[in-house]
Amino acid sequence: GDMEPLPYEPRPSAWAQVESTLKPQEVHEARKMVGEALIQANEDLFAEIGVMLDILRQYSTEVDHRVQEGEWRARLSHRNAKRELLEGEIRQFVAALRSKTSTPLALRPSTARDQQVLSYLTGEG
């Protein structure tokens, strides 16, 4: 897939810059003057810069992903803490109801589902 651009993009290779200033008929003579080995070494180094930038892009993407994942885990953990707090408050409420000598009929679980929720909250389920 396409990777995000980095703030740094390499300039064209030295040979590509030189070549761009030449007339087509001058390129062959210039290559002979500079030497094929030097031109090839320049192009190899330039290709290596591209590989290094790809590695940097992949690393940056992975770090971004891990940061987002860490933030998601933190939010989930926060949500779980809020849930535990709410469950604790409900347990206290249920305990207060049970401590009364008789719980009004309207507050007693009327369905199997309500009974399951009550059992879960009181640790009996």
Side-chain angles (χ1 to χ4, degrees):
D2 288 341
M3 289 184 236
E4 298 227 355
L6 293 172
Y8 171 75
E9 290 297 329
R11 293 179 298 191
S13 71
W15 172 249
Q17 290 179 49
V18 168
E19 194 175 27
S20 71
T21 65
L22 300 173
K23 295 177 184 160
Q25 61 272 24
E26 298 172 329
V27 172
H28 178 71
E29 190 62 33
R31 284 187 86 93
K32 280 176 35 181
M33 289 172 61
V34 172
E36 289 297 325
L38 190 57
I39 292 171
Q40 188 59 53
N42 180 257
E43 290 175 352
D44 290 348
L45 284 172
F46 189 73
E48 198 163 323
I49 289 171
V51 170
M52 295 293 188
L53 285 173
D54 285 344
I55 291 169
L56 181 58
R57 282 186 192 98
Q58 289 173 346
Y59 177 76
S60 295
T61 300
E62 186 175 324
V63 167
D64 289 347
H65 175 74
R66 287 177 185 232
V67 165
Q68 289 170 351
E69 192 174 90
E71 289 171 354
W72 179 81
R73 287 183 192 278
R75 283 197 301 271
L76 186 61
S77 173
H78 180 67
R79 222 177 287 147
N80 287 343
K82 285 170 91 175
R83 177 187 171 129
E84 287 174 14
L85 184 65
L86 182 60
E87 285 179 2
E89 289 176 4
I90 292 170
R91 281 192 192 96
Q92 287 177 347
F93 176 70
V94 169
L97 288 177
R98 285 196 164 165
S99 71
K100 306 286 181 207
T101 51
S102 66
T103 303
L105 280 175
L107 295 177
R108 292 181 187 163
S110 57
T111 65
R113 171 99 178 110
D114 289 348
Q115 185 58 53
Q116 286 175 334
V117 171
L118 182 63
S119 294
Y120 170 79
L121 288 170
T122 56
E124 298 171 2

